[in-house]
Each structure stands twice: as structure tokens, then as C-alpha cells.
């Protein structure tokens, strides 16, 4: 059976790393037909729209997409394309596994975290005002009980299904009393359903400190949109940086898999980008559509390649460029 997947190269290094994924996937004969769609600056230059109708139609039809990073022009009144996609398809769970990778040197060992970030509400809900006369900016953080319940429940469900031991609920309930309370109550509710999973809660500032001192004490983390956005980059830093961390945006009906990093304008077009983050996101996608054997094959080849520094890209201390790194993975398949 062939799977039709929407492929969104995006901007900057997106085109280069997507090419790498296509080559690796065809080397293992993955039964996928890519339906390529533009987004962001590239789409705007071609069609005058940051998010063309055909992009929405393709995701609506295929239900699953693999996406490179996208650029939203800043200061021109455009809402972030990423935020729009997440809201449009109700992709409420942003899931980011961060685990030490053999061969990738970091300051920490024993890190094996999965962060669940609420992806549609909070400070990124898009409720913003600017009073020209008084020069006052308001950004409203709207959080709902339904939104808190479903993200916390999905973290506990993941912990249960993946033999994880503990869920940490991260909040700021001492100051943000109502939104913090909703998240904590969601935690108690989910814990009652999965009593064998240990639950703890931590205030965000303490959590940031604990993560950079003793990251090995944490397992599954769940938090709101803004805190999750910041913590996910922090967690990526614990295991080798933005070039190696995968991400999935999951809802009940749709799933978009994408790397954590952005378009990397400083290295775009130079053939230097590391495709690992997008490849790992693509592996998550293969698991999602139940192509487990293909996922495992690519995962093994990637792990084998990452163990040898010279075979890797410059950000990992290696000598390879995007094309040779891709070929090194294919050689290890
Ligand atoms: P960035 O992630 O693009 O770059 C940060 C640093 O990491 C740069 O030095 C870059 O060269 C390096 N880097 C990132 N990915 C890499 C890779 N795969 N291989 C090697 N090095 C890599 O973050 P920045 O500069 O803050 O954002 C640039 C643009 O990307 C902005 O327009 C931003 O809005 C957009 N962006 C898009 C995202 C998405 O579509 N999901 C996420 C984050 C940012």
C-alpha cells in the first residue's frame, strides 16, 4: 500500500534537508508518494500567499505531513504560519523527544526526556491588541480546561503506552493562578486515570534550573505553549542542539512532523545544513503510519553514522556537508 504524504520543504535550509530525506526514503523503498506544497516566504513569492489553499487541501486530504522550517515575514502584520497550521488542524500536542545520541557529544549524559507542549492556546492564541494612542501592547494568554485536559491526558497516555515512569507538570500557578490551576487539575485528573504513572509538578523557573543541573531525573514533561516553546529548545541543547532534535504536532485527526529548528538563514544555500532533526521527525512519521520496519532501518543507519564524527556535518564537529552526510547514511542502510 502506498501512503500519500504532504511534503512541505519550507524556506532556507528546508529545501536542502527535505532533499536528503527524499533520497534516504527512496534508498529503502519506503512506500510513500510525496505531494509537495509550498509555505512561508517561498509560497508568498510564487503565489502571493504565505499559505496557499492547495496546502490546506493537501493536508486535509492526506492527514499527515512532513514539514521543513518556514519563514514568516516579521513586522508586516502576518500571523506565524506555524501557529496558523497548528490552530487550523487543531494540532494541540507538540511532542519533542530529547535523548542522548551515541557519538553526539554534550555536557550531559543519561538524558531521555519527552516534552509535551500545548500547541494551540496560551500566549500564542493570537489574541493581540495594540493601542496606537497610548502605545500599549496587549497579548492575551487564553487557556481552556478542554485544552489543558487533552494535552496532559496525552502526556500520561504516552507515558503509559511507552513504559515511562513519571510525568512532570510544569506551570506558574503561584502567579498565573487560573491557568496554572487548570493545568494542575488536568494533571490530577489524568493521574487518577493512570495511577501507576508517578506525577509531580514544578514551577517553570525552578524547572529550567533543574533541567540544566540534573536532567536525568526527568521523564515525560508537559506544559503550556510559551513555557514549552522555551523548554523545548533548552531540552534540545541538552542532547546536541537544534540540528538533531525531532518534533511532531499531533491532533486527533491530523499530524504534522517537523524539525525543531528554523530556516537557518546564516547557512542556507551553502550545503552545510544537518538533516538529522528532520530525518528523526520523518522516522517518527513512519512510526505514526505504522511503517515500523522502514523506520527501524533508517534509525539504525542514522545511529551508525552519528557514531563516527567525521561522517557528520560541521555542527556536530564533522567534515561532511549535507549531501555527503546523506550518502553516509545511505551507505549504512
Ligand atoms: P534557526 O533554528 O533557524 O537557527 C539557529 C542557529 O542554529 C543558526 O546558527 C543555524 O545555523 C543553526 N541551525 C539550525 N538548524 C540547523 C541545522 N539543521 N543544521 C545546522 N545548523 C542549524 O533559528 P532562527 O535564526 O532564530 O530563525 C530563523 C528563521 O526560522 C526565522 O524566520 C524563524 O521565524 C524561523 N523559524 C521557523 C521554525 C519553523 O518553521 N518550525 C522554527 C523556528 C524558527
Amino acid at each position: 500500500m502506498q501512503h500519500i504524504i504532504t511534503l512541505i520543504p519550507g524556506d532556507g535550509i528546508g529545501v536542502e534537508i527535505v532533499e536528503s530525506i527524499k533520497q534516504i526514503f527512496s534508498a529503502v523503498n519506503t512506500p510513500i508518494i510525496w505531494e509537495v506544497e509550498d509555505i512561508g516566504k517561498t509560497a508568498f513569492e510564487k503565489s502571493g500567499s504565505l499559505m496557499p489553499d492547495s496546502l490546506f487541501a493537501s493536508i486535509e486530504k492526506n492527514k499527515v505531513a512532513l514539514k521543513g522550517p518556514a519563514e514568516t515575514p516579521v513586522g508586516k502584520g502576518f500571523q506565524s504560519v506555524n501557529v496558523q497550521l497548528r490552530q487550523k488542524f487543531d494540532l494541540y500536542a507538540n511532542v519533542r523527544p530529547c535523548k542522548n545520541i551515541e557519538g553526539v557529544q554534550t555536557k550531559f549524559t543519561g538524558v531521555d526526556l519527552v516534552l509535551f507542549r500545548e500547541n494551540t492556546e496560551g500566549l500564542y492564541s493570537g489574541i493581540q491588541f495594540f493601542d496606537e494612542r497610548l502605545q500599549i501592547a496587549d497579548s492575551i494568554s487564553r487557556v481552556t480546561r478542554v485544552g489543558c485536559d487533552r494535552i496532559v491526558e496525552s502526556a500520561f497516555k504516552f507515558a503509559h503506552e511507552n513504559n515511562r515512569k513519571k510525568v512532570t507538570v510544569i506551570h506558574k500557578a503561584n502567579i498565573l493562578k487560573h491557568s496554572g490551576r487548570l493545568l494542575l487539575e488536568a494533571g490530577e485528573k489524568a493521574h487518577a486515570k493512570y495511577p501507576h504513572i508517578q506525577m509531580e509538578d514544578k514551577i517553570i523557573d525552578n524547572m529550567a534550573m533543574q533541567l540544566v543541573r540534573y536532567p536525568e531525573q526527568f521523564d515525560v514533561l508537559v506544559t503550556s505553549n510559551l513555557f514549552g516553546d522555551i523548554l523545548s529548545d533548552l531540552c534540545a541543547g541538552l542532547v546536541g542542539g537544534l540540528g538533531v532534535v525531532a518534533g511532531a504536532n499531533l491532533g486527533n485527526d491530523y499530524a504534522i512532523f517537523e524539525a525543531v529548528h528554523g530556516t537557518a538563514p546564516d547557512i542556507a544555500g551553502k550545503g552545510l545544513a544537518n538533516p538529522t532533526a528532520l530525518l528523526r521527525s520523518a522516522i517518527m512519521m513512519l512510526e505514526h503510519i505504522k511503517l515500523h520496519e522502514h523506520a527501524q532501518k533508517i534509525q539504525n543507519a542514522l545511529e551508525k553514522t552519528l557514531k563516527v564524527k567525521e561522517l557528520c556535518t560541521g555542527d556536530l564537529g564533522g567534515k561532511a556537508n549535507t549531501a555527503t552526510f546523506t550518502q553516509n547514511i545511505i551507505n549504512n542502510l
Side-chain angles (χ1 to χ4, degrees), residues 20-321:
S20 165
I21 285 25
K22 280 164 79 176
Q23 287 176 18
I24 295 164
F25 271 42
S26 55
V28 285
N29 293 321
T30 316
I32 283 181
I33 298 168
W34 299 114
E35 204 167 272
V36 180
E37 292 291 336
D38 289 322
I39 196 171
K41 198 172 158 215
T42 307
F44 192 77
E45 283 166 3
K46 281 191 197 167
S47 67
S49 166
L50 289 172
M51 306 181 79
D53 291 344
S54 62
L55 168 72
F56 290 121
S58 175
I59 300 173
E60 228 157 78
K61 174 169 65 73
N62 300 330
K63 314 279 187 228
V64 179
L66 180 67
K67 177 183 162 294
E71 182 180 331
T72 308
V74 177
K76 296 185 181 152
F78 294 115
Q79 199 200 354
S80 155
V81 292
N82 293 311
V83 172
Q84 284 185 67
L85 264 190
R86 291 163 189 173
Q87 289 179 343
K88 161 90 183 163
F89 293 103
D90 202 19
L91 304 167
Y92 60 84
N94 187 292
V95 184
R96 298 186 176 180
C98 294
K99 187 178 177 184
N100 280 122
I101 307 164
E102 212 183 324
V104 177
Q105 276 179 358
T106 66
K107 293 193 171 70
F108 302 92
T109 53
V111 182
D112 185 4
L113 306 167
V114 181
L115 177 69
F116 279 71
R117 160 190 170 193
E118 203 295 321
N119 219 8
T120 54
E121 305 193 326
L123 206 54
Y124 297 178
S125 53
I127 311 169
Q128 305 191 55
F129 308 100
F130 186 65
D131 187 321
E132 279 290 347
R133 192 174 62 84
L134 298 173
Q135 293 289 294
I136 293 174
D138 291 307
S139 303
I140 310 285
S141 170
R142 175 164 295 166
V143 166
T144 65
R145 184 176 293 284
V146 169
C148 290
D149 283 352
R150 64 184 185 174
I151 187 67
V152 178
E153 158 101 31
S154 58
F156 271 87
K157 184 166 179 277
F158 172 88
H160 169 68
E161 287 171 354
N162 292 277
N163 210 16
R164 297 279 183 156
K165 304 280 178 287
K166 182 169 78 171
V167 173
T168 305
V169 180
I170 303 149
H171 60 87
K172 187 74 185 177
N174 51 330
I175 309 272
L176 306 172
K177 295 203 180 299
H178 300 300
S179 52
R181 176 173 61 84
L182 285 183
L183 204 66
L184 284 170
E185 286 175 2
E188 281 158 24
K189 213 183 292 176
H191 186 222
K193 203 165 162 187
Y194 299 96
H196 54 291
I197 309 284
Q198 191 195 334
M199 178 189 144
E200 65 176 7
D201 74 276
K202 290 247 180 293
I203 293 177
I204 177 65
D205 30 350
N206 175 32
M207 186 67 196
M209 188 272 288
Q210 297 282 343
L211 270 171
V212 295
R213 292 204 75 193
Y214 312 111
E216 67 287 347
Q217 67 179 302
F218 297 108
D219 192 345
V220 176
L221 315 178
V222 60
T223 191
S224 60
N225 206 339
L226 175 68
F227 297 161
D229 193 7
I230 298 165
L231 286 188
S232 60
D233 272 25
L234 189 159
C235 291
L238 299 175
V239 297
L242 296 174
V244 296
V245 175
N249 298 292
L250 307 176
N252 293 335
D253 302 317
Y254 300 94
I256 300 183
F257 296 82
E258 66 175 337
V260 175
H261 60 73
T263 59
D266 52 338
I267 57 166
K270 297 181 181 163
L272 300 174
N274 182 356
T276 300
L278 191 65
L279 184 59
R280 295 180 91 201
S281 311
I283 293 170
M284 284 177 86
M285 184 197 78
L286 289 175
E287 297 283 5
H288 178 81
I289 57 175
K290 304 202 176 349
L291 290 176
H292 300 296
E293 271 180 38
H294 294 82
Q296 196 56 55
K297 231 178 195 172
I298 298 173
Q299 173 73 21
N300 292 346
L302 175 64
E303 281 176 12
K304 205 169 161 190
T305 312
L306 290 172
K307 277 183 197 162
V308 186
K309 201 187 255 188
E310 296 79 68
L311 299 182
C312 300
T313 46
D315 57 313
L316 298 179
K319 295 191 175 75
N321 58 28

